[in-house]
Amino acid sequence: MHASKLGYRVWALTIYLMSTSLKGVSSMKLHRDLGVTQKTAWYLAHRIREAWADRQPGQFTGPVEADETFIGGKERNKHAAKRLNAGRGAVGKAVVAGVKDRDTSAPTLVAMIADTAQIWADVFTDEHAAYRPLRSHGYGHQVIGFASAVV
């Protein structure tokens, strides 16, 4: 909008139309609805989408929740040719910890939390031993289990 020859009303209407549309708005629809050229409508939509883009998420100020899980089906439900026959539990499953990662060691999980949470933020996790170093790294670490669930 800065240094634009278009009025605030055109920008406001475009933002309204784009934010209330379920499937997005084409520049041709904006051109018809706003009474501007298609080139101008494309320019408006492009600038607004660029402003809405999430480039670099900031750090959470807390409270912050962190957890990891293993994603994958049961071996017995797989076709015999697809079974790994390598054990039980996490074998053959992907680990998901905020972002997909295959390592749930303390250095990996603490680094992931350090990238997304400010020091001294309250971090709520499960009982996994890899989260124990959080308190020594300056976070307010609290363990939530079945007996100590936060309401």
Side-chain angles (χ1 to χ4, degrees):
M1 283 181 14
H2 177 71
S4 173
K5 293 182 180 180
L6 298 169
Y8 289 119
R9 287 184 183 183
V10 174
W11 281 97
L13 284 171
T14 307
I15 292 169
Y16 173 77
L17 290 171
M18 290 180 69
S19 62
T20 58
S21 172
L22 293 177
K23 296 184 179 181
V25 180
S26 71
S27 61
M28 287 302 293
K29 176 153 177 43
L30 289 175
H31 148 71
R32 289 189 300 270
D33 292 347
L34 299 173
V36 296
T37 65
Q38 189 272 330
K39 186 176 179 181
T40 300
W42 180 90
Y43 171 83
L44 285 165
H46 180 73
R47 291 296 175 120
I48 291 169
R49 286 186 190 112
E50 188 72 23
W52 284 347
D54 188 15
R55 290 183 181 53
Q56 185 83 9
Q59 291 185 327
F60 299 130
T61 58
V64 178
E65 252 184 86
D67 198 9
E68 81 293 332
T69 188
F70 299 93
I71 304 294
K74 293 181 179 179
E75 289 290 307
R76 69 178 178 202
N77 293 337
K78 295 179 183 176
H79 189 275
K82 302 252 182 186
R83 292 183 189 162
L84 297 175
N85 297 322
R88 306 179 333 174
V91 174
K93 295 181 175 26
V95 177
V96 179
V99 293
K100 186 177 178 197
D101 195 300
R102 300 207 177 270
D103 184 8
T104 60
S105 66
T108 302
L109 293 175
V110 171
M112 179 195 68
I113 293 167
D115 288 344
T116 57
Q118 292 181 353
I119 297 294
W120 303 115
D122 289 331
V123 179
F124 299 92
T125 68
D126 57 14
E127 297 92 0
H128 191 326
Y131 293 119
R132 289 185 188 145
L134 284 173
R135 192 167 291 280
S136 65
H137 282 81
Y139 293 97
H141 180 223
Q142 295 183 30
V143 176
I144 298 176
F146 291 110
S148 63
V150 173
V151 181

